[in-house]
Amino acid sequence: MRAAVERTIRWARECREQPRAPGQLVFGIIQGGCHATLREESARALVVLDFDGYAIGGVSVGEPEPDMLRAVELTEPFLPANKSRYVMGLGTPAQLVELVARGMDMFDCVLPTRVARNGTAVTTKGALCLKSAANKADFRPLEDGCECFACRNFSRAYLRHLFQSG
Ligand SMILES: [Zn+2]
């Protein structure tokens, strides 16, 4: 783990020297697993390089959720308040709330699109299984009152039809 942290810091220094396209931002990726010392060392070494933002890496790799949250908590105190904080590869809707509460700003996760491809919509009222026969003649939007493109243009019945017809 220490070798990987040191390698990432070396790469970050090399990356920092490279030319950028206009408007391009570059983030440092903090490693260190669930080790408090390595997370601190990794964060401090990358903050010195003055990146545009900081990513927390090495989470969303199959670790239990308490370990993921601990890795974020171990890292956050060393991140500059005026730079974006990005947690790589996370998370579920509930995890996003937990991560925002821990000072994180940015996320990326395949979960919403993966479940959507398989016929489930994520709504404020929970998961909505579009393939369900209950939606066959349900002409409401996915989410009442939502202004998104899907909710403004497609009913649950039409979305169910799309899944049924492949
Ligand atoms: Zn919507």
Side-chain angles (χ1 to χ4, degrees):
M1 182 72 73
R2 172 166 294 285
V5 166
E6 289 170 356
R7 182 181 316 116
T8 301
I9 293 168
R10 273 198 319 275
W11 286 346
R13 288 191 183 114
E14 290 174 24
C15 180
R16 210 66 189 88
E17 303 302 316
Q18 302 307 309
R20 297 187 196 191
Q24 181 182 15
L25 302 178
V26 179
F27 280 40
I29 302 176
I30 296 158
Q31 301 291 359
C34 286
H35 303 279
T37 306
L38 290 176
R39 281 283 174 190
E40 179 178 350
E41 287 176 21
S42 180
R44 287 187 186 279
L46 295 173
V47 168
V48 166
L49 297 174
D50 193 29
F51 281 95
D52 300 304
Y54 294 90
I56 298 178
V59 289
S60 187
V61 290
E63 75 284 1
E65 184 177 282
D67 291 352
M68 176 276 287
L69 292 173
R70 180 166 152 71
V72 170
E73 290 165 356
L74 291 172
T75 308
E76 192 281 332
F78 306 103
L79 300 177
N82 63 334
K83 300 287 179 78
S84 295
R85 292 121 171 249
Y86 162 39
V87 189
M88 303 177 79
L90 291 171
T92 65
Q95 287 172 337
L96 298 186
V97 173
E98 293 295 327
L99 293 164
V100 167
R102 286 165 175 80
M104 299 300 115
D105 304 306
M106 300 168 66
F107 312 92
D108 76 293
C109 186
V110 300
L111 185 113
T113 49
R114 187 176 60 213
V115 298
R117 273 197 309 276
N118 290 297
T120 299
V122 176
T123 77
T124 57
K125 293 174 182 66
L128 175 68
C129 180
L130 290 167
K131 293 177 181 173
S132 165
N135 296 315
K136 194 169 186 175
D138 190 333
F139 299 101
R140 293 177 298 159
L142 293 173
E143 183 95 62
D144 287 317
C146 178
E147 295 297 317
C148 84
F149 186 84
C151 290
R152 281 186 289 117
N153 291 285
F154 308 116
S155 68
R156 295 177 184 194
Y158 179 65
L159 293 169
R160 178 181 183 275
H161 158 75
L162 293 177
F163 281 106
Q164 294 303 114
S165 63

